Amino acid sequence: MRWGMRTKRNTQRTILYIFVIVMVIFYIFPFYWAIKSSFTADQYLFTKNITLWPQGFTFENYIKVFTERPFGLNILNSIIVAGATTIFSVIVGSFSAYAIARLKIPGKGPLMLLILAVSMFPQVSILGGLFQLLRNLGLINTYTGLIIPYIALNLPLTTWILQNFFRELPKEIEESAYIDGCSKFQTLWRIVLPLSAPGLVTTGLLAFIQAWNEFLFALTFMQTPEKYTVPVAIAMFTGRTFYEVPWGQLMAASVIVTMPLVILVLVFQNRIVQGLTAGSVKG
Amino acid sequence: MKVKGTYKRSDIWLAFWLIIPTLIAIGITAFYPLGQTLYDSFFKWSLRPGFEREFVGFQNYINLFQDPRFLSSLWNTIYFTFFSVVIEFLLGLGTALILNADFKLRGLVRAAVLIPWAIPTAVSSQMWKWMYNDQYGVISIMLYNLGILEEGTPILGTPGMAMAAIIGVDVWKTTPFVALLLLAGLQTIPNELYEAARIDGANIWKQFTSITLPVLRPTIGVTLIFRTLDALRVFDIVYIMTQGSVGTETLAVYNRSLLMDNIFSPRGLFGYGSALSVVIFLIIGIFTLIYIRSLNIKLD
């Protein structure tokens, strides 16, 4: 059987679209299922019938998340910790990134390798030492005690990505500013940073997501439910008894914390992709 | 004006002040704790008030390699790493090839693919734990109805199956990231190459093996090492889904429980936990060296 070119092309298109649909279902379904479960009343949630649409549609789970547990506080904790981490990492990281990208200094190679190596540190390997350090400083169960390690976790990545961005800026602009009598630091502060705003936003987003999602340190250093960050609160979700997990509420909480991230990803997807690939592939 | 090969004093000073905050932050929160952990690993030691440090040399390490729980968590970590990285790579490559094709709503589909990556791992673990629930979980019910699983079998309570379920969550969460890296590599291939190959009569498979794969090779290498490093450190998913029961305990999960259960150990087992931390560090360190050597970092 010989096909014409057109039929062959149509078959290829159809196969491609089938693949696309299967792929989208695979990536989206678990998230959809969480949304569906969060709007389902308990008596329908705990049944053997599978329906794609929530039965007994209700907002009750969303209300209970905030009235029956300190979830509002947990969100606030996460915003404070991730926000502070982002601001500090981007400022401090942009300084070192500029030095690496634009200043002629000896020992640049080893320095970059050092920074890169730290980004690979297994967190659990420094858990014991860090726990003792924070305990001696009285920082267990405080925001500061979580923000400090988070900044160090984020700095290698922010430095790495930002120096990539700085390298892509046209050198002429900096040189003319320099000739006009700006010092190198003024050039960085007044010209390079404003021009790199897109890069700073990208890096900030990645730093924020990393801090917002971190679990091991938060689980170990935050020890009372009022101090939990969101991932810990969600991991430690229990009902009145140990065995009874309020799944509807848990899914509501999951949707609440995921929504801002989904919106960020939809709005900034090009930036995020750019940052991720700059951070890991480009030498 | 600059002469090649010489450094200006002002540049060096400025660089020093610009870089020092980063070095201090990394020093205090990464190198210092690492040194502390290394030091502790040679002692019987815990934070119990009044506990006297007792030097034991390499005894903690010797005990560790005779500890069946350590050996099984090492094996579980290798098993998890191998399967998750291989599956993520294959699915990620498929996803990248699809996203690189031309179809309607491509931007939206790419964003949809990114969603699992953006969800905190702790949250995705709970979402999947609900789907795996042995009475009302959608995945369990489907498997029961299809007759693949015996009614009422707890997926997360059955050895072998629990690890597969954990790998499944990791695959769902991380494949988008792998796909993005590979997609960035795919987009550097000029279309003319494919055109020329088509004119020479190469079919799609031939084009894939003779153009796509060779060009992607460096990207693939970096991606695989990057993922391996990450998978070796796996903690969140295992901790939340099974707490390391039924043969799913990985190195990081065992290490945290060793350290945190023994903070005030009268037998000084915090030092023993530190020895495991050092071993994990060395394992990751080896892979990190491979990774750094595979990048040819350009400096200027």
Side-chain angles (χ1 to χ4, degrees):
Chain A
M1 194 168 94
R2 289 194 53 193
W3 286 357
M5 274 307 269
R6 179 163 300 189
T7 3
K8 189 173 172 188
R9 186 163 308 161
N10 279 341
T11 316
Q12 280 182 2
R13 305 287 312 154
T14 314
I15 292 171
L16 174 67
Y17 276 103
I18 290 171
F19 272 129
V20 170
I21 290 164
V22 170
M23 183 178 86
V24 169
I25 290 174
F26 171 72
Y27 289 122
I28 291 297
F29 181 80
F31 184 50
Y32 172 77
W33 198 252
I35 297 175
K36 180 244 159 184
S37 303
S38 70
F39 287 113
T40 305
D42 273 4
Q43 68 265 35
Y44 299 106
L45 191 63
F46 299 112
T47 57
K48 304 254 183 216
N49 300 327
I50 301 174
T51 54
L52 273 180
W53 204 243
Q55 290 176 290
F57 189 93
T58 175
F59 286 103
E60 194 158 308
N61 290 321
Y62 286 86
I63 296 162
K64 277 188 182 165
V65 159
F66 291 104
T67 54
E68 290 191 358
R69 54 189 76 242
F71 197 66
L73 268 180
N74 302 141
I75 293 179
L76 184 69
N77 297 339
S78 271
I79 291 174
I80 291 171
V81 171
T85 302
T86 306
I87 292 165
F88 284 111
S89 313
V90 171
I91 292 174
V92 176
S94 65
F95 287 172
S96 51
Y98 182 73
I100 288 171
R102 281 287 191 261
L103 297 175
K104 275 184 78 79
I105 44 169
K108 203 184 268 192
L111 190 74
M112 283 176 83
L113 291 183
L114 178 89
I115 290 175
L116 196 65
V118 173
S119 72
M120 303 293 171
F121 264 37
Q123 278 168 277
V124 79
S125 290
I126 53 176
L127 193 72
L130 202 52
F131 183 82
Q132 289 180 72
L133 176 71
L134 293 173
R135 191 160 171 267
N136 295 338
L137 295 172
L139 291 175
I140 294 288
N141 217 23
T142 64
Y143 292 140
T144 319
L146 206 51
I147 292 167
I148 293 173
Y150 279 10
I151 292 172
L153 278 186
N154 263 312
L155 272 176
L157 187 75
T158 37
T159 304
W160 194 252
I161 298 176
L162 282 173
Q163 63 96 20
N164 264 318
F165 274 108
F166 291 159
R167 276 179 205 280
E168 282 163 17
L169 285 180
K171 266 197 166 138
E172 295 73 33
I173 301 176
E174 288 161 66
E175 277 161 10
S176 64
Y178 195 57
I179 290 162
D180 290 346
C182 283
S183 73
K184 283 257 164 111
F185 187 77
Q186 282 174 321
T187 312
L188 166 66
W189 194 247
R190 290 193 187 157
I191 291 162
V192 176
L193 287 183
L195 280 177
S196 324
L200 296 177
V201 170
T202 303
T203 317
L205 270 174
L206 290 174
F208 187 87
I209 290 175
Q210 203 176 20
W212 181 266
N213 293 0
E214 201 282 337
F215 182 64
L216 177 61
F217 284 172
L219 176 73
T220 309
F221 304 146
M222 292 302 205
Q223 304 191 322
T224 55
E226 290 70 35
K227 274 287 196 280
Y228 287 168
T229 56
V230 162
V232 182
I234 282 180
M236 299 297 203
F237 226 86
T238 48
R240 263 155 303 187
T241 66
F242 180 74
Y243 292 103
E244 167 196 345
V245 179
W247 286 109
Q249 273 188 56
L250 182 47
M251 290 303 115
S254 301
V255 172
I256 293 166
V257 299
T258 304
M259 267 307 167
L261 293 170
V262 169
I263 291 164
L264 281 181
V265 167
L266 290 178
V267 173
F268 293 106
Q269 62 155 317
N270 289 335
R271 292 253 167 93
I272 289 176
V273 171
Q274 207 185 355
L276 278 179
T277 43
S280 55
V281 171
K282 269 207 217 154
Chain B
M1 286 278 80
K2 277 186 303 204
V3 185
K4 225 180 159 58
T6 57
Y7 301 108
K8 280 168 57 185
R9 181 175 288 228
S10 62
D11 273 12
I12 293 181
W13 270 113
L14 177 62
F16 173 81
W17 288 115
L18 287 177
I19 291 173
I20 208 76
T22 297
L23 290 183
I24 290 174
I26 288 173
I28 292 174
T29 43
F31 287 105
Y32 174 76
L34 187 68
Q36 176 77 50
T37 301
L38 182 62
Y39 180 74
D40 289 344
S41 71
F42 296 109
F43 291 87
K44 273 194 174 156
W45 163 242
S46 81
L47 310 190
R48 195 182 183 80
F51 191 93
E52 291 285 333
R53 262 181 196 277
E54 188 192 326
F55 183 76
V56 292
F58 283 95
Q59 196 56 48
N60 284 330
Y61 292 91
I62 294 164
N63 294 347
L64 193 62
F65 281 88
Q66 293 165 342
D67 174 353
R69 210 171 142 190
F70 163 70
L71 296 172
S72 72
S73 68
L74 178 64
W75 165 246
N76 292 337
T77 306
I78 295 169
Y79 183 92
F80 171 88
T81 302
F82 178 80
F83 283 103
S84 66
V85 171
V86 168
I87 298 169
E88 279 157 22
F89 171 68
L90 294 174
L91 280 180
L93 188 59
T95 303
L97 289 169
I98 294 172
L99 288 177
N100 201 31
D102 196 31
F103 56 87
K104 287 193 184 71
L105 300 176
R106 189 166 67 161
L108 196 66
V109 169
R110 191 177 72 164
V113 167
L114 263 177
I115 286 175
W117 168 82
I119 299 179
T121 314
V123 175
S124 0
S125 304
Q126 290 285 35
M127 285 180 182
W128 282 80
K129 201 173 174 181
W130 167 232
M131 295 198 293
Y132 288 138
N133 184 285
D134 56 349
Q135 284 171 290
Y136 313 112
V138 61
I139 295 177
S140 303
I141 293 174
M142 279 193 212
L143 293 176
Y144 301 156
N145 291 349
L146 292 170
I148 296 171
L149 265 188
E150 181 118 0
E151 184 85 32
T153 314
I155 295 178
L156 292 175
T158 312
M161 225 181 283
M163 186 51 112
I166 286 169
I167 291 171
V169 180
D170 197 69
V171 164
W172 178 74
K173 182 180 166 55
T174 318
T175 305
F177 174 73
V178 176
L180 281 183
L181 298 187
L182 295 173
L183 182 62
L186 283 175
Q187 285 170 339
T188 60
I189 306 176
N191 241 332
E192 292 78 47
L193 275 181
Y194 291 114
E195 291 292 341
R198 255 199 295 277
I199 289 164
D200 292 343
N203 62 18
I204 290 191
W205 177 248
K206 189 91 184 79
Q207 288 171 34
F208 177 71
T209 52
S210 62
I211 301 170
T212 315
L213 279 183
V215 175
L216 272 189
R217 184 169 298 163
T219 313
I220 290 173
V222 169
T223 308
L224 288 181
I225 299 168
F226 216 73
R227 277 303 308 136
T228 303
L229 279 168
D230 234 9
L232 288 170
R233 294 184 279 193
V234 64
F235 175 82
D236 309 17
I237 305 180
V238 180
Y239 182 86
I240 290 172
M241 290 203 136
T242 59
Q243 290 265 331
S245 61
V246 289
T248 58
E249 189 165 66
T250 54
L251 287 170
V253 175
Y254 182 36
N255 197 359
R256 183 182 182 274
S257 100
L258 258 186
L259 288 167
M260 290 298 124
D261 296 349
N262 294 310
I263 297 178
F264 303 115
S265 150
R267 292 191 294 145
L269 285 173
F270 196 84
Y272 182 61
S274 303
L276 176 55
S277 296
V278 173
V279 170
I280 293 176
F281 183 82
L282 293 175
I283 294 171
I284 304 271
I286 292 165
F287 279 93
T288 304
L289 286 177
I290 298 173
Y291 172 65
I292 288 178
R293 299 221 32 190
S294 72
L295 288 174
N296 41 8
I297 293 166
K298 57 167 193 290
L299 305 162
D300 281 330

